[in-house]
Amino acid sequence: MPGGGIAVGNKIGQQTFAALAFAASLATAQSITGSAAAEVVDLDTEDLDTDSWYTPAGASFQPDVAGVYLITGQLTMAAFSGVLTVTLYRGVVEVARVDAVRTAAAATVQISQLVPMNGSTDALTMKVEHTDPSSRSVTAASMAGILMGAL
């Protein structure tokens, strides 16, 4: 069974559940071009990956088991003015979006969504964009840039 499984039981019986999960983070700050198309957040460090379904090179999660995954992400962007948008994509389809409006202050945006994945071709990425005319950095401090999920 993928993930090795976790046995959970009671006096009536025992059920085994797979522990299918991943967590990835941003090792170094990433510059995001101002007023441009959404860019994939380069979450290049695997903090947890029970079944090798996260690919740091493409910053994508592609599980081999179909199901509904709870996906949670967080990004912090250095001081900027405008709208910061964080989006989850399954392939080219937007599945969740959060906008934060800031005036000359840093912004931390959290996003969470239940995402159905088909277990074969679906791949999930997190993208970011902002309306500030200058390039701004996504922070690479502890928990500043992270994406995680579990079945």
Side-chain angles (χ1 to χ4, degrees):
M1 168 176 275
I6 298 172
V8 177
N10 56 30
K11 292 181 181 179
I12 299 171
Q14 183 167 311
Q15 180 67 44
T16 300
F17 298 93
L20 307 174
F22 81 98
S25 59
L26 191 62
T28 57
Q30 179 181 348
S31 180
I32 305 297
T33 305
S35 301
E39 298 179 35
V40 173
V41 181
D42 187 19
L43 298 162
D44 55 358
T45 301
E46 285 180 286
D47 299 310
L48 170 72
D49 193 359
T50 60
D51 292 278
S52 300
W53 294 342
Y54 185 79
T55 306
S60 67
F61 173 64
Q62 187 170 359
D64 287 345
V65 174
V68 178
Y69 289 77
L70 174 59
I71 306 295
T72 302
Q74 177 172 295
L75 286 180
T76 299
M77 182 168 279
F80 75 101
S81 295
V83 179
L84 171 63
T85 301
V86 177
T87 311
L88 296 177
Y89 282 88
R90 182 184 56 222
V92 297
V93 177
E94 181 181 303
V95 294
R97 177 186 190 99
V98 175
D99 295 316
V101 179
R102 289 290 183 268
T103 304
T108 297
V109 176
Q110 296 174 335
I111 190 166
S112 188
Q113 182 71 33
L114 290 170
V115 181
M117 304 288 281
N118 66 14
S120 58
T121 59
D122 283 345
L124 186 115
T125 56
M126 182 166 62
K127 295 185 178 183
V128 63
E129 62 187 297
H130 65 88
T131 59
D132 191 294
S134 301
S135 291
R136 296 292 181 220
S137 291
V138 174
T139 307
S142 176
M143 297 299 287
I146 190 164
L147 182 65
M148 54 192 143
L151 180 64

